Amino acid sequence: MKNALSVVLLFLSFVFYAQQKMVSKSNSVKPNTDLVKLNDSIPALIPQKIDGKYGFVNQKGKVIIKPEYSNVGFFTEDCNLLSSPNPKARIFGSSKYASVHLNGMDFRINHVGKRVYQFRKNDLGKCTPEFKTQLFHAYIMNNAYGIIEDAKFENPGDYRQFTIYPQYDYLHILEGDDLRNPMIIASYKDKFGVIDIYNKVIVPFEYSDIKRNFSWKLARLFEVTKDGKNYYYVDTNNIAY
């Protein structure tokens, strides 16, 4: 009797172990290697224009979402959908989705490129953009651009009051989350680059143009071109995507 009980207990232990192993195996989700980040500060998927159409590549440059759209945005939140009166539409306002434009219609797509939601006017809620007053501004003197900090600047005759003394052909402070350390698009001798408020060169002066858009705020990327036609993104290490 004892031997039979031992056999039963051993069998039940084996069954329990096997079930636990199967559950553990089924719960383990393999990471998508195509979305592994080389640079944690920028998105895993980056818009790219190929043969006149927009799609998405990963940080290694591999096409993940085929180029078929006339316009695309980053995988970021959509405030109008997040505040939608339709509870079922709100989920598509999260940063898990990106907005794309195709054949006159706007959609949200997921990370594998599936169109999961088509924009409807009745689904759009009211969105009040957050406004933050910039601490620094461009200042023109003697036809040259510099940078001043509003709270400290009073006398343009005192060079010590300038954050960056006027020396550039053009400067534009990009909107970002860190008001004390903004990125600044600069032009010098007909070439564009990016500097910080300490006048340190972040992106070298080798571009014919850098767009003054929200790519830095949304994705910590700069949209640049060398020929004035073909734009692409670079990060703060000047690595192209």
Side-chain angles (χ1 to χ4, degrees):
M1 185 65 181
K2 288 183 178 180
N3 290 338
L5 182 59
S6 298
V7 171
V8 172
L9 291 174
L10 181 63
F11 175 75
L12 290 175
S13 298
F14 175 77
V15 171
F16 178 76
Y17 172 76
Q19 289 177 337
Q20 288 292 98
K21 190 172 183 180
M22 289 178 65
V23 170
S24 176
K25 187 176 181 179
S26 64
N27 287 340
S28 62
V29 179
K30 292 183 178 180
N32 188 342
T33 55
D34 284 335
L35 299 182
V36 172
K37 290 186 175 184
L38 303 177
N39 182 344
D40 284 333
S41 66
I42 67 173
L45 290 174
I46 301 165
Q48 190 174 94
K49 190 177 185 180
I50 303 173
D51 296 329
K53 298 291 185 179
Y54 287 92
F56 290 83
V57 299
N58 65 11
Q59 291 190 8
K60 292 182 179 179
K62 178 182 177 180
V63 175
I64 305 300
I65 299 174
K66 67 178 181 179
E68 59 178 323
Y69 298 103
S70 57
N71 199 9
V72 299
F74 290 101
F75 280 83
T76 57
E77 292 183 348
D78 185 296
C79 180
N80 295 111
L81 284 179
L82 287 176
S83 56
S84 173
N86 179 4
K88 293 182 179 179
R90 292 174 197 159
I91 186 175
F92 301 112
S94 82
S95 59
K96 293 180 180 179
Y97 306 96
S99 296
V100 298
H101 189 75
L102 178 67
N103 298 328
M105 295 177 287
D106 294 300
F107 302 89
R108 292 287 272 177
I109 62 172
N110 61 19
H111 282 90
V112 297
K114 182 179 180 181
R115 292 189 285 274
V116 294
Y117 171 80
Q118 182 178 346
F119 278 86
R120 300 173 182 84
K121 186 176 181 180
N122 291 339
D123 284 346
L124 302 182
K126 293 183 179 180
C127 181
T128 304
E130 182 182 5
F131 177 77
K132 294 181 179 179
T133 303
Q134 293 280 1
L135 303 179
F136 300 92
H137 285 91
Y139 188 93
I140 306 173
M141 187 172 71
N142 298 327
N143 296 320
Y145 281 74
I147 295 292
I148 62 171
E149 184 174 0
D150 291 355
K152 298 180 179 180
F153 187 80
E154 293 180 354
N155 180 16
D158 184 355
Y159 73 93
R160 294 170 300 181
Q161 293 192 15
F162 285 91
T163 303
I164 297 176
Y165 195 77
Q167 58 195 275
Y168 291 98
D169 301 327
Y170 173 81
L171 290 176
H172 175 82
I173 298 176
L174 289 169
E175 185 174 339
D177 294 326
D178 190 350
L179 295 179
R180 293 220 63 84
N181 296 285
M183 292 292 101
I184 305 165
I185 294 175
S187 173
Y188 185 69
K189 294 183 178 180
D190 295 325
K191 291 294 182 180
F192 283 84
V194 177
I195 62 174
D196 63 16
I197 59 168
Y198 304 103
N199 210 16
K200 176 185 176 183
V201 176
I202 305 299
V203 173
F205 289 81
E206 58 184 46
Y207 298 101
S208 64
D209 187 33
I210 300 178
K211 286 189 177 182
R212 275 70 83 190
N213 56 20
F214 291 103
S215 62
W216 170 251
K217 180 177 177 62
L218 296 176
R220 296 183 66 82
L221 291 167
F222 308 103
E223 194 169 2
V224 303
T225 181
K226 288 189 175 182
D227 61 10
K229 297 179 180 179
N230 299 300
Y231 283 83
Y232 54 95
Y233 293 100
V234 298
D235 60 21
T236 53
N237 295 315
N238 201 34
I239 297 174
Y241 302 93

